[in-house]
Amino acid sequence: SQQGEEDPQALSIQEGENATMNCSYKTSINNLQWYRQNSGRGLVHLILIRSNEREKHSGRLRVTLDTSKKSSSLLITASRAADTASYFCATDEWDGQNFVFGPGTRLSVLP
Amino acid sequence: NAGVTQTPKFQVLKTGQSMTLQCAQDMNHEYMSWYRQDPGMGLRLIHYSVGAGITDQGEVPNGYNVSRSTTEDFPLRLLSAAPSQTSVYFCASSPPGTDYSGANVLTFGAGSRLTVL
């Protein structure tokens, strides 16, 4: 399989806390994306980081990329119950055009 | 609303039956793709298309067929359904070069849940 891996598989936190999830991949990439999937719904794009970038912010989201370790992290600050979802990283490592998705991290934010 | 529309949302088939999952987008996206999502496996690419008349295989193409006669539509055909094809199927589309790096940011449909008995 070409898939990367997210870590942890599941994460449960209290509202207001920060949530960090990690993604590892296997070969070189041009960019890495993070997507969110609410239960029973399609995936929604959150943020994209290019291979020459180390950190990117979007609202309460912070993404880092370490190409030497082939890993990325997604930080959600001041989490809300509405952040409860599965989060997936996707890389273009397979053929530079299509995206490979990891198995995802299930985040539960408890009120 | 503009977006990616998948039909049907749910389908139950018997082994050996054939069917077509429909996908349509009204955003004039050139790139379209089909993924299947299985528990603990993430999404795996089945087939994709970079424009009308052009299709190619993804990671798990066996047992599936696609065509792209128009920019808007990208149907996925199951030729002879097997229990191993029980899954949730997602169609996704993207314009080329969504940002200046040329990266494709995908817009997903809501999914089609298929059960093969």
Side-chain angles (χ1 to χ4, degrees):
Chain A
S1 170
Q2 303 291 329
Q3 287 183 324
E5 296 286 331
E6 283 98 341
D7 169 56
Q9 290 186 351
L11 179 61
S12 185
I13 60 174
Q14 298 289 326
E15 244 183 345
E17 293 180 338
N18 296 341
T20 299
M21 51 206 89
N22 304 297
C23 167
S24 62
Y25 55 92
K26 298 177 181 177
T27 61
S28 62
I29 62 171
N30 296 311
N31 59 74
L32 182 146
Q33 302 182 28
W34 285 89
Y35 287 79
R36 183 188 73 229
Q37 183 181 33
N38 291 93
S39 181
R41 307 292 294 273
L43 280 73
V44 175
H45 177 259
L46 294 176
I47 195 166
L48 178 152
I49 187 165
R50 300 180 188 85
S51 59
N52 61 354
E53 297 175 312
R54 291 298 166 258
E55 187 171 314
K56 201 162 183 181
H57 297 254
S58 177
R60 293 183 297 113
L61 304 180
R62 173 177 167 255
V63 170
T64 61
L65 179 64
D66 186 334
T67 53
S68 66
K69 295 181 179 179
K70 294 186 173 56
S71 67
S72 173
S73 67
L74 172 67
L75 168 66
I76 304 174
T77 60
S79 62
R80 306 165 181 168
D83 295 327
T84 294
S86 291
Y87 291 82
F88 296 87
C89 70
T91 69
D92 61 352
E93 63 184 307
W94 184 52
D95 63 0
Q97 173 177 255
N98 293 284
F99 283 87
V100 176
F101 287 81
T105 293
R106 292 191 316 278
L107 174 65
S108 297
V109 181
L110 307 175
Chain B
N1 291 336
V4 179
T5 303
Q6 290 184 234
T7 57
K9 285 184 168 41
F10 301 95
Q11 183 72 47
V12 179
L13 291 178
K14 294 181 180 178
T15 296
Q17 288 184 319
S18 62
M19 77 156 298
T20 299
L21 299 177
Q22 302 290 345
C23 175
Q25 52 88 13
D26 57 3
M27 299 172 284
N28 204 32
H29 285 176
E30 294 185 12
Y31 175 91
M32 297 185 74
S33 56
W34 277 101
Y35 288 86
R36 59 177 289 173
Q37 183 178 32
D38 301 293
M41 296 288 291
L43 281 77
R44 290 181 291 170
L45 181 66
I46 304 172
H47 285 284
Y48 66 97
S49 168
V50 297
I54 305 169
T55 64
D56 209 340
Q57 296 182 349
E59 185 184 359
V60 289
N62 293 341
Y64 307 95
N65 200 2
V66 292
S67 59
R68 185 92 181 271
S69 56
T70 67
T71 299
E72 294 77 20
D73 300 299
F74 190 45
L76 178 72
R77 297 182 185 84
L78 281 71
L79 308 173
S80 177
S84 61
Q85 294 178 303
T86 293
S87 188
V88 182
Y89 292 86
F90 287 97
C91 179
S93 71
S94 174
T98 297
D99 64 14
Y100 66 81
S101 76
N104 292 341
V105 172
L106 296 170
T107 299
F108 281 84
S112 297
R113 183 176 295 274
L114 175 67
T115 301
V116 183
L117 303 174

